[in-house]
Amino acid sequence: MAGNNLANDSKQTDISFLTDISFKTDHSAGTIVSFDVHSPSSGTSSLSTDVSFLGAGEFSADDQLSQEVPEVLFEPSVFSTPHKSTQDWTTDSWRELSSGDNEHNSELPEHSPNSEDGLRLYLDISEENTDDSEDLQPTPGEKRTIAAHSGQRGRWKKRCMDRTSDSLVEILNSHCCQNDCIKSLSLNDLENSFNGVKDLNENELKQFALGQIWTCCEAAWDENSPKPNITYRFVICGKIICEKAFCRCYDISTKVFKDCVDSFVVGKRNILHGNRGTTRTREKTTTALTWMRYTFQQIGDHMPHKQEIHLPVSQTKTSLYGRMRSELIDQNVTDVVTKEYFMELWNRHFPEVKIGKRSEFTVCGICQSLKEKEEKATSQQERDECYQLKQEHFNHVQTEREQYHLARHRASTEPKEVTTMIVDGMDQSKTDLPHFAQSDKDTKHLAKITTHITGVLLHTRSPHNKYAYVYTDVKQIPHDSNLTIHCILATLMKHRDILGRELFLQLDNCFRENKNRYVLSFCALLVDLQIFQKVTVHFLPVGHTHEDVDQMFSCVAKALQKRNIYTYEDLRSFVKASYTPAIDVEEVRYLLDVKEWLKPHLAGNFAHHSKPLWFEFTPGDNHAAMRYKMWHNDPWKPEGDALFCLKSLPSLHHCPLWVEPCLERVDLPWLQKDIPSKYGDRIPPAKKEELRMFVDAIGNLDELPVPVSSWALLELVTWEIRHQEEEPTQDLEPLRARIQAECRPVTIGSQGRIQHDAVQEADYSSIEVGHHAAVNLIDSTKRPYLGKVLACDGDQVTIAWMKGSWSGEWKEWLCKRGKNMVPYTTTVPLQSVILWGFPLTGRNRLPKKVAVDLKERYSKIDEDDELNE
């Protein structure tokens, strides 16, 4: 602040010297001075200037004299006195300073008290200002700074408020080190240094201190000391100060400075907050996110042409929040997020989940009807009833989706038991050829090659737990059950060595392609031919059928969205790279007419088969038996005798004929007219020729290939590797025996001894057909050898062998002979049978007493063999 801002009614002391200078200072702060210079030659003129108190009685002035306005330059050496504060400056001090006897007298400037100008000096000391409220009020800039950092700790906010003139003087008068280096600073130095850091928060201030330590300090390591010797040489306004002065100037606490020094010693250059990069989510937020993620996955549909998940149009965000709240309260969760925060979580974490005003695909009739009923309801009771019906419907849909997800999980964890497959079609214009990322009016109406995509995902154990396939055509073949059967067979053939014993088939409700008698009869045929022991066909409810295969279509559409696709090979390469795992793309030019091949063998016309969502095919007496049900929790129907799709089995050696292609749907003349001549420069020359050749190849599709002598179904039946029993790589029988071992009975003398029933052992004439028999063979490593007696002829007996272990389950041993699986039988000598006529337990295991007796017999035989050797 300038000295001319002082009050004019100051207390003035007139000191007569050779000069005529009036000096005013703020008595309370000791920092603000002004000078009135009276020169005999130039008259009287007034000058106000700032003089900073440096401590130990030193002052410095910033203004210099000019010809128009006389000014005085005060050097610090001129006013160096032994006094400690402005209160010590008295008239005697000024007389001593201005007298010729003072040791500093020779150092006075030109306008000194001993100069010949004969001026008079006046020392004005103003009264103490009793009202300091204006000085303590923050400026508008400080208010904005404090408001911006309102989240910081209170100590930081006090730093912006406590730097008054009194506190600055107190800092300068404090003792810091032996050299009192803090007294070499001026008030302006303190203010400027603090203004540079007052807007920093605590973490930023620590970073500033650490940066200054790295810049201005040196560390010398001593072998005898674990800590280095640090030399501090901080610089403020060109003046070197110690560490204590540095901390006081920037208002840095001792603890913070020590932490920064420790970081400097260990080589750290950055101060990171302990919570940086971490978020602590509240439990109710985590619960809400979990519910939303699970619900959206269960009831949402992945759009095949964009990266979005669409919820049923009958839903609203408000109804979903009410559903979440009611479900969580039923689970005794009382702390639930508010509706506003629920909306915020939706927008922040699930921006891809949408509820459109109208569905872009087939809408569920039940959902739409319930929505309309709820909108027209005139009472709260009606609205509640509609809401309850909607929840019941959604629970059904959610349960059905879970079954498909469960089948996927089983296929990845039990690949030898279950194979899961989903088949669906993608019918979008984004795959038409040529495809441009940006369409124009000149080419928008021109002919394009309509490319249809059928997608298949086969779930089994693999690096990604699934394999992806795409079958393409240009609509020259009918999209009916023949296409579905072709895709299923082609995919099964590619993985015929890893197929499970059961097939779970997820299909769309389209009656033309999937839900018809031909596809269902084909599934029954897979069981009749013993390719699978059970086939389950599952359909999701209408309007809720979008699953992971549609997500694959969405990735394909996104990959093609911003690219120009000119030829089929371009389309093939982009589709392959658009999904993980990479998609295997196959072009379908011809189809086998499996419908006509199956038609003579169908048991009859199907009726009302479009309603059930579940179909199961299992082995029957003569042909595969079919059962059905509506929902997962319903019992299978019919409860008594099952239904049969086939009345006889078609011959696999009489292969189906080819389906006649229909080029009328392709509109070949229009394609040949427009492609590629009318597209001009939109298609590169090299791509034009390739595209023209592809169109010509489409024109040749009317020429059917020669009839086939073998096809995929026949090759699949003759494949033997999958059904062969694999030998275990490790012998787990000892561990299994230890785990399943029972405590032996405690006996005292004859007390507690169990009297075993005598196992039938008589002459061989008591052996009957159907008896279980134990046999002794040369190879003793795979004991016991068990089987059923099929025939007994003199000294020979025919055994149908069984597979099992001492403590495991025993089952019939089947082997491949020709097309069928038949029991494995051999004829052995009658004397090799060592035990017979014993039953198995209800779980087809050896009874404990039979196992003990059989082991003793084997042991006795081994001992006799050793003696004979």
CSV table of all heavy atoms in Angstrom, one decimal, residues 476-478 589-590 658-665 701-704:
chain,number,residue,atom,x,y,z
A,476,GLN,N,-30.3,-67.3,-52.9
A,476,GLN,CA,-30.6,-68.2,-54.0
A,476,GLN,C,-31.2,-69.5,-53.5
A,476,GLN,O,-31.7,-70.3,-54.3
A,476,GLN,CB,-29.4,-68.5,-54.8
A,476,GLN,CG,-28.5,-69.6,-54.4
A,476,GLN,CD,-27.6,-69.2,-53.2
A,476,GLN,OE1,-27.7,-68.1,-52.7
A,476,GLN,NE2,-26.7,-70.0,-52.8
A,477,ILE,N,-31.2,-69.8,-52.2
A,477,ILE,CA,-31.7,-71.0,-51.5
A,477,ILE,C,-32.8,-70.6,-50.6
A,477,ILE,O,-32.8,-69.5,-50.0
A,477,ILE,CB,-30.6,-71.8,-50.8
A,477,ILE,CG1,-29.9,-70.8,-49.8
A,477,ILE,CG2,-29.6,-72.3,-51.8
A,477,ILE,CD1,-28.9,-71.5,-48.9
A,478,PRO,N,-33.8,-71.4,-50.4
A,478,PRO,CA,-34.9,-71.1,-49.5
A,478,PRO,C,-34.4,-71.1,-48.0
A,478,PRO,O,-33.6,-72.0,-47.6
A,478,PRO,CB,-36.0,-72.1,-49.7
A,478,PRO,CG,-35.2,-73.3,-50.3
A,478,PRO,CD,-34.0,-72.7,-51.1
A,589,ARG,N,-23.8,-72.6,-51.1
A,589,ARG,CA,-24.3,-72.4,-52.5
A,589,ARG,C,-25.5,-73.4,-52.8
A,589,ARG,O,-26.4,-73.0,-53.6
A,589,ARG,CB,-23.2,-72.7,-53.5
A,589,ARG,CG,-22.0,-71.7,-53.4
A,589,ARG,CD,-21.2,-71.7,-54.6
A,589,ARG,NE,-20.2,-70.6,-54.6
A,589,ARG,CZ,-19.5,-70.2,-55.7
A,589,ARG,NH1,-19.7,-70.9,-56.9
A,589,ARG,NH2,-18.7,-69.2,-55.7
A,590,TYR,N,-25.4,-74.6,-52.3
A,590,TYR,CA,-26.5,-75.6,-52.5
A,590,TYR,C,-26.9,-76.2,-51.2
A,590,TYR,O,-26.1,-76.3,-50.2
A,590,TYR,CB,-26.0,-76.7,-53.5
A,590,TYR,CG,-25.5,-76.1,-54.8
A,590,TYR,CD1,-24.2,-75.9,-55.1
A,590,TYR,CD2,-26.4,-75.8,-55.8
A,590,TYR,CE1,-23.7,-75.4,-56.3
A,590,TYR,CE2,-26.0,-75.3,-57.0
A,590,TYR,CZ,-24.6,-75.1,-57.3
A,590,TYR,OH,-24.2,-74.6,-58.5
A,658,TRP,N,-30.4,-82.5,-54.2
A,658,TRP,CA,-30.1,-81.1,-54.0
A,658,TRP,C,-31.4,-80.3,-54.2
A,658,TRP,O,-32.3,-80.6,-54.9
A,658,TRP,CB,-29.1,-80.6,-55.1
A,658,TRP,CG,-27.8,-81.2,-54.9
A,658,TRP,CD1,-27.2,-82.1,-55.8
A,658,TRP,CD2,-26.8,-80.9,-53.9
A,658,TRP,NE1,-26.0,-82.4,-55.3
A,658,TRP,CE2,-25.7,-81.7,-54.2
A,658,TRP,CE3,-26.8,-80.1,-52.8
A,658,TRP,CZ2,-24.5,-81.7,-53.4
A,658,TRP,CZ3,-25.7,-80.0,-52.0
A,658,TRP,CH2,-24.6,-80.8,-52.3
A,659,VAL,N,-31.5,-79.2,-53.4
A,659,VAL,CA,-32.6,-78.2,-53.6
A,659,VAL,C,-32.4,-77.4,-54.8
A,659,VAL,O,-31.3,-76.8,-55.0
A,659,VAL,CB,-32.8,-77.4,-52.3
A,659,VAL,CG1,-33.9,-76.3,-52.5
A,659,VAL,CG2,-33.0,-78.2,-51.1
A,660,GLU,N,-33.4,-77.2,-55.6
A,660,GLU,CA,-33.3,-76.4,-56.8
A,660,GLU,C,-33.1,-74.9,-56.4
A,660,GLU,O,-34.0,-74.3,-55.7
A,660,GLU,CB,-34.5,-76.5,-57.7
A,660,GLU,CG,-34.4,-75.9,-59.0
A,660,GLU,CD,-33.5,-76.7,-60.0
A,660,GLU,OE1,-33.3,-77.9,-59.8
A,660,GLU,OE2,-33.0,-76.0,-60.9
A,661,PRO,N,-32.0,-74.2,-56.8
A,661,PRO,CA,-31.8,-72.8,-56.5
A,661,PRO,C,-32.9,-71.9,-57.2
A,661,PRO,O,-33.4,-72.3,-58.3
A,661,PRO,CB,-30.4,-72.5,-57.0
A,661,PRO,CG,-29.8,-73.8,-57.1
A,661,PRO,CD,-30.8,-74.8,-57.5
A,662,CYS,N,-33.2,-70.8,-56.6
A,662,CYS,CA,-34.2,-69.9,-57.2
A,662,CYS,C,-33.5,-68.6,-57.4
A,662,CYS,O,-33.4,-67.8,-56.5
A,662,CYS,CB,-35.4,-69.8,-56.3
A,662,CYS,SG,-36.7,-68.7,-56.9
A,663,LEU,N,-33.1,-68.3,-58.7
A,663,LEU,CA,-32.4,-67.1,-59.0
A,663,LEU,C,-33.3,-65.9,-59.2
A,663,LEU,O,-32.9,-64.8,-59.3
A,663,LEU,CB,-31.5,-67.3,-60.2
A,663,LEU,CG,-30.4,-68.4,-60.1
A,663,LEU,CD1,-29.6,-68.4,-61.4
A,663,LEU,CD2,-29.5,-68.1,-58.9
A,664,GLU,N,-34.6,-66.2,-59.2
A,664,GLU,CA,-35.6,-65.1,-59.3
A,664,GLU,C,-35.5,-64.2,-58.1
A,664,GLU,O,-35.7,-62.9,-58.2
A,664,GLU,CB,-37.0,-65.6,-59.5
A,664,GLU,CG,-37.2,-66.4,-60.8
A,664,GLU,CD,-38.6,-66.9,-60.9
A,664,GLU,OE1,-39.4,-66.7,-59.9
A,664,GLU,OE2,-38.9,-67.6,-61.9
A,665,ARG,N,-35.3,-64.7,-56.9
A,665,ARG,CA,-35.1,-63.9,-55.7
A,665,ARG,C,-33.9,-63.1,-55.8
A,665,ARG,O,-33.8,-62.0,-55.1
A,665,ARG,CB,-35.1,-64.8,-54.5
A,665,ARG,CG,-36.5,-65.4,-54.2
A,665,ARG,CD,-36.5,-66.0,-52.8
A,665,ARG,NE,-35.6,-67.2,-52.7
A,665,ARG,CZ,-36.0,-68.4,-52.9
A,665,ARG,NH1,-37.3,-68.7,-53.1
A,665,ARG,NH2,-35.2,-69.4,-52.8
A,701,LEU,N,-25.3,-70.7,-60.6
A,701,LEU,CA,-25.8,-71.5,-59.5
A,701,LEU,C,-27.0,-72.3,-60.0
A,701,LEU,O,-27.4,-73.2,-59.2
A,701,LEU,CB,-26.2,-70.6,-58.4
A,701,LEU,CG,-25.0,-69.9,-57.6
A,701,LEU,CD1,-25.5,-69.1,-56.5
A,701,LEU,CD2,-24.0,-71.0,-57.1
A,702,ASP,N,-27.6,-72.1,-61.1
A,702,ASP,CA,-28.7,-72.9,-61.5
A,702,ASP,C,-28.3,-74.2,-62.0
A,702,ASP,O,-29.2,-75.1,-62.2
A,702,ASP,CB,-29.5,-72.1,-62.6
A,702,ASP,CG,-28.6,-71.8,-63.8
A,702,ASP,OD1,-27.4,-71.9,-63.7
A,702,ASP,OD2,-29.1,-71.3,-64.9
A,703,GLU,N,-27.0,-74.5,-62.2
A,703,GLU,CA,-26.5,-75.8,-62.6
A,703,GLU,C,-26.2,-76.6,-61.3
A,703,GLU,O,-25.3,-76.3,-60.6
A,703,GLU,CB,-25.3,-75.6,-63.5
A,703,GLU,CG,-25.5,-74.8,-64.7
A,703,GLU,CD,-24.2,-74.6,-65.5
A,703,GLU,OE1,-23.1,-75.2,-65.1
A,703,GLU,OE2,-24.2,-73.9,-66.5
A,704,LEU,N,-27.0,-77.6,-61.1
A,704,LEU,CA,-26.9,-78.4,-59.9
A,704,LEU,C,-25.7,-79.3,-60.0
A,704,LEU,O,-25.4,-79.8,-61.0
A,704,LEU,CB,-28.2,-79.2,-59.6
A,704,LEU,CG,-29.4,-78.4,-59.2
A,704,LEU,CD1,-30.6,-79.4,-59.1
A,704,LEU,CD2,-29.2,-77.7,-57.9
